Amino acid sequence: MADEEVEGKGFVVRDRRRFTEEGEPKEETGPEEQAEEQAEEQAKEPEPPAQEEAEDRAKVEEKVTEEAPFPEINFSTFIFSLNTSALLHLGEIPDPATGKQQEDLAMAKQTIDLIAMLQEKTRGNLAPDEENLVKHILYDLRLRYVQKAK
């Protein structure tokens, strides 16, 4: 594989060792030859997707953003997301994928413990409304968990 190029999907492997397989030094290439090699590599890069594919992707992205606009991501929305996950595992709300309510107390406990860990690790660094949110969500989830675990 001395000066051969091996082409794969989207990349080129080139042997750039300074010595041949016999251990003798290779002839060094000058800056002009290196520039030519780089130009050849760039010319071999895969072509951008066809116009049709790009339009399809744009339509899909547009449809996703129209259907489900996501709320701003901040600490409160993250805690609400974990709360929803815990409620799902407690069987309080239906699974959006199946529409069925199922209990998984081990997962619910893990999610509640995760929120408790976040409360501990962020103590003193949260705004008062964020602290109250975490405190109240944990209180509610723990009560629900104890009721389900009985």
Side-chain angles (χ1 to χ4, degrees):
M1 185 172 128
D3 290 330
E4 299 173 24
E5 291 182 8
V6 179
E7 294 187 32
K9 292 185 178 181
F11 62 91
V12 175
V13 177
R14 184 173 293 185
D15 186 0
R16 294 184 185 235
R17 291 179 281 193
R18 295 182 189 174
F19 298 94
T20 62
E21 292 178 4
E22 292 80 30
E24 297 177 12
K26 284 185 179 180
E27 294 179 22
E28 292 190 27
T29 58
E32 292 173 3
E33 291 172 344
Q34 288 176 354
E36 287 176 17
E37 288 177 3
Q38 287 177 350
E40 287 175 10
E41 286 178 20
Q42 290 175 353
K44 291 180 182 179
E45 289 181 4
E47 295 179 14
Q51 182 67 22
E52 220 173 84
E53 289 178 31
E55 289 173 1
D56 289 343
R57 282 190 203 144
K59 286 178 185 176
V60 168
E61 289 174 6
E62 184 178 310
K63 185 176 180 182
V64 167
T65 55
E66 286 176 1
E67 289 179 3
F70 293 106
E72 176 187 354
I73 297 179
N74 56 35
F75 186 76
S76 297
T77 56
F78 179 58
I79 295 299
F80 279 126
S81 173
L82 291 173
N83 179 51
T84 304
S85 178
L87 290 172
L88 178 112
H89 295 304
L90 286 169
E92 297 286 327
I93 59 174
D95 184 342
T98 63
K100 297 179 181 177
Q101 291 178 300
Q102 296 177 324
E103 282 186 18
D104 186 349
L105 294 180
M107 285 299 296
K109 182 179 184 325
Q110 184 177 22
T111 306
I112 294 167
D113 290 344
L114 177 62
I115 297 171
M117 183 219 28
L118 287 170
Q119 180 186 39
E120 180 64 32
K121 295 293 183 180
T122 58
R123 182 164 286 135
N125 293 321
L126 298 176
D129 59 331
E130 292 172 331
E131 286 181 23
N132 284 332
L133 174 70
V134 174
K135 184 174 107 179
H136 287 95
I137 284 178
L138 270 176
Y139 178 78
D140 180 60
L141 290 175
R142 286 174 172 158
L143 282 178
R144 290 173 189 255
Y145 177 80
V146 169
Q147 289 172 349
K148 294 281 183 170
K150 285 185 178 182

